[in-house]
């Protein structure tokens, strides 16, 4: 609440009258001050639902929009850089003649055995984004100004670097010798926390030892998933997930399941579960289908899905092992925006073990010994990734 009071007391003397109806019909000539009203609200590169998400905002951040389309506001991140936010996720608080910037009061760096944390104290939550670049991440928090003096300790950390001030945003560069293993930008009572997981210590003999893995058996309850040949996807998913749990535990992993029985659960809740368990890897088990079954002779086999680049090598390693072990066609490593692939807190991979609507694959996927082949291949894919990524 204090953020809204701080921001809008500053704005009140220059606020023009807000005509909500007019805003729906004419372009914004100044800036509309928007308040985000829903957690996990996506900022997108373009003004449509299929456009790439550049970040997910929590409720209460303040944004500045300079234009609008039918369903979206165009948010000015900085001069010449824009994103789009759906109108249903924001409320217009004011119309102002120029943008307002808040001063960052403090930036502190801390670390423990597993995480690097950068706390940024600012009176206003604003738009942000994180861009992966190999083993590194470039974070930007917009509409903020700071005194270069306060970043000295951060730049001595050896992991984060904040360059000299050159625009109205905070730019933080994280560097590492090893692949990314999860990160977040999270709000707290005084601003934002940039949190980056450290590379884990990998046991040469048992790479999965101590690694936290959350297994999601897709669907459940009344959500049956794909159905064919008297089989229901939710059942196959759970059967493979149970075997996978045992295989991972044999190799030393700490394993948690989003569901152990035939019950329904929202995907967003399963994502929260993985975050609560501080998962290193999230594996979501599924069986594939097609909107038009006539295409089954063109598209079939085993495929993996990811959204952020940090998860792509793991998705590739799992797919490589599955195609060899099952003999199924390689259906690719695919970039898709699913709830359980969008989290950056851990490496997140969705696995389509086969096409349940393809009889040759369905008859194998229902067999227990074949399910064990699938589970072992996924496990080996995780091990191979860890060995390669961390050079052991």
């Amino acid at each position: 609440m204090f953020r809204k009071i701080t921001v809008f007391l500053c704005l009140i003397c220059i606020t023009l009258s807000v005509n909500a109806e007019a805003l729906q019909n004419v372009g914004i000539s100044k800036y509309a001050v928007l308040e985000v009203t829903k957690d996990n609200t996506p900022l997108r590169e373009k003004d449509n639902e299929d456009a790439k998400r550049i970040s997910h905002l929590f409720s209460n951040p303040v944004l500045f929009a300079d234009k609008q389309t039918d369903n979206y506001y165009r948010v000015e991140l900085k001069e010449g850089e824009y994103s789009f936010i759906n109108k249903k996720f924001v409320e217009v608080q004011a119309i102002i003649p120029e943008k307002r910037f808040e001063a960052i009061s403090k930036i502190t760096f801390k670390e423990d055995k597993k995480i690097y944390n950068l706390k940024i104290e600012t009176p206003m939550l604003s738009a942000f984004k994180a861009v992966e670049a190999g083993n590194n991440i470039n974070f930007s928090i917009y509409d903020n100004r700071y005194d270069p003096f306060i970043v000295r300790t951060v730049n001595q950390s050896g992991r984060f670097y904040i360059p000299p001030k050159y625009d109205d945003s905070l730019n933080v560069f994280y560097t590492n010798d090893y692949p990314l293993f999860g990160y977040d930008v999270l709000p707290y009572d005084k601003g934002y926390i940039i949190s980056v997981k450290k590379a884990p210590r990998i046991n040469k003999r048992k790479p999965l030892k101590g690694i936290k893995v959350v297994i999601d058996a897709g669907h459940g309850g009344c959500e049956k998933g794909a159905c064919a040949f008297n089989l229901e996807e939710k059942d196959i998913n759970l059967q493979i997930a149970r075997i996978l749990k045992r295989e991972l535990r044999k190799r030393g992993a700490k394993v948690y399941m989003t569901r152990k029985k035939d019950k329904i659960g929202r995907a967003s809740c399963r994502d929260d579960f993985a975050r609560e368990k501080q998962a290193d890897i999230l594996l979501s088990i599924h069986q594939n289908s097609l909107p038009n079954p006539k295409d089954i002779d063109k598209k079939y086999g085993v495929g993996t899905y990811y959204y952020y680049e940090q998860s792509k090598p793991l998705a590739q390693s799992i797919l490589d092992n599955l195609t060899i072990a099952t003999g199924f066609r390689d259906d690719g490593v695919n970039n898709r925006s699913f709830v359980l692939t969008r989290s950056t807190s851990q490496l997140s991979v969705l696995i389509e073990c086969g096409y349940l609507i393809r009889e040759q694959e369905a008859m194998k996927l229902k067999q227990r010994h074949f399910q064990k082949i699938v589970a072992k291949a996924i496990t080996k894919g995780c091990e191979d990734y860890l060995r390669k990524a961390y050079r052991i």
Side-chain angles (χ1 to χ4, degrees), residues 103-167:
I104 293 173
S105 56
K106 188 177 182 181
I107 304 176
T108 56
F109 170 79
K110 288 186 179 180
E111 64 176 302
D112 58 29
K113 291 182 179 180
K114 294 185 177 181
I115 295 176
Y116 297 114
N117 276 335
L118 204 63
K119 280 191 174 182
I120 302 158
E121 295 188 15
T122 174
M124 181 181 77
L125 293 182
S126 56
F128 68 85
K129 75 175 181 179
V131 178
E132 297 176 23
N135 298 342
N136 310 321
I137 318 173
N138 302 336
F139 297 97
S140 297
I141 297 179
Y142 298 96
D143 304 325
N144 281 281
R145 292 172 174 167
Y146 64 91
D147 185 334
F149 179 79
I150 69 175
V151 306
R152 289 185 179 180
T153 302
V154 174
N155 289 346
Q156 292 169 1
S157 70
R159 290 301 173 202
F160 292 103
Y161 171 70
I162 300 176
K165 190 67 181 166
Y166 60 83
D167 59 20

Side-chain angles (χ1 to χ4, degrees), residues 97-368:
E98 61 183 15
K99 291 177 71 173
R100 305 292 292 175
F101 300 94
E102 293 295 331
I104 293 173
S105 56
K106 188 177 182 181
I107 304 176
T108 56
F109 170 79
K110 288 186 179 180
E111 64 176 302
D112 58 29
K113 291 182 179 180
K114 294 185 177 181
I115 295 176
Y116 297 114
N117 276 335
L118 204 63
K119 280 191 174 182
I120 302 158
E121 295 188 15
T122 174
M124 181 181 77
L125 293 182
S126 56
F128 68 85
K129 75 175 181 179
V131 178
E132 297 176 23
N135 298 342
N136 310 321
I137 318 173
N138 302 336
F139 297 97
S140 297
I141 297 179
Y142 298 96
D143 304 325
N144 281 281
R145 292 172 174 167
Y146 64 91
D147 185 334
F149 179 79
I150 69 175
V151 306
R152 289 185 179 180
T153 302
V154 174
N155 289 346
Q156 292 169 1
S157 70
R159 290 301 173 202
F160 292 103
Y161 171 70
I162 300 176
K165 190 67 181 166
Y166 60 83
D167 59 20
D168 293 312
S169 61
L170 175 69
N171 296 285
V172 180
F173 299 91
Y174 168 81
T175 59
N176 194 12
D177 296 329
Y178 293 97
L180 298 172
F181 213 67
Y183 60 91
D184 272 308
V185 180
L186 302 169
Y188 78 115
D189 59 351
K190 293 183 179 180
Y192 277 120
I193 296 177
I194 294 176
S195 179
V196 182
K197 282 186 180 178
K198 292 183 177 180
R201 293 183 178 180
I202 304 300
N203 185 294
K204 291 184 179 181
R205 189 173 64 86
K206 298 180 72 173
L208 281 164
K209 186 176 181 179
I211 299 297
K212 292 183 179 180
V213 182
V214 167
I215 303 173
D216 169 58
H219 307 288
C222 62
E223 290 187 1
K224 297 180 180 181
C227 298
F229 310 108
N230 294 318
L231 299 173
E232 294 179 354
E233 180 188 350
K234 63 173 185 173
D235 297 328
I236 305 294
N237 294 344
L238 186 57
Q239 290 161 10
I240 292 174
R242 286 171 174 165
I243 300 171
L244 178 59
K245 176 183 177 181
R246 290 195 291 272
E247 293 298 324
L248 289 167
R249 282 188 169 176
K250 284 180 186 177
R251 290 157 178 79
K254 298 178 181 179
V255 186
Y256 309 91
M257 294 182 67
T258 60
R259 69 178 180 101
K260 299 178 181 179
K261 300 179 180 179
D262 182 21
K263 65 177 184 179
I264 192 171
R266 288 189 298 122
S268 58
C269 293
R270 300 181 189 201
D271 183 39
D272 291 340
F273 176 82
R275 189 189 297 270
E276 289 167 8
K277 295 299 182 183
Q278 298 180 324
D280 298 309
I281 295 173
L282 169 60
L283 303 174
S284 187
I285 306 300
H286 287 261
Q287 315 306 314
N288 221 334
S289 184
L290 288 170
N292 186 354
K294 291 181 179 180
D295 294 333
I296 196 62
D297 290 330
K298 298 177 181 178
K299 187 169 177 61
Y300 55 92
V302 59
T304 55
Y305 295 77
Y306 73 99
Y307 191 61
Y308 292 102
E309 288 297 314
Q310 66 171 351
S311 298
K312 185 177 180 179
L314 175 59
Q316 183 68 65
S317 182
I318 291 172
L319 179 66
D320 291 344
N321 278 275
L322 277 170
T323 52
I324 292 171
T326 63
F328 285 179
R329 171 184 173 271
D330 183 337
D331 199 33
V333 176
N334 306 278
N335 183 260
R336 293 290 188 278
S337 178
F338 300 135
V339 172
L340 291 181
T341 59
R342 287 197 298 262
S343 175
T344 61
S345 300
Q346 66 281 314
L347 303 184
S348 303
V349 178
L350 187 145
I351 304 161
E352 296 282 5
C353 304
Y355 279 73
L356 205 62
I357 62 171
R358 184 177 174 86
E359 187 172 9
Q360 301 95 309
E361 295 177 18
M363 293 303 103
K364 289 185 175 182
L365 288 165
K366 74 175 184 177
Q367 299 172 7
R368 184 172 179 80

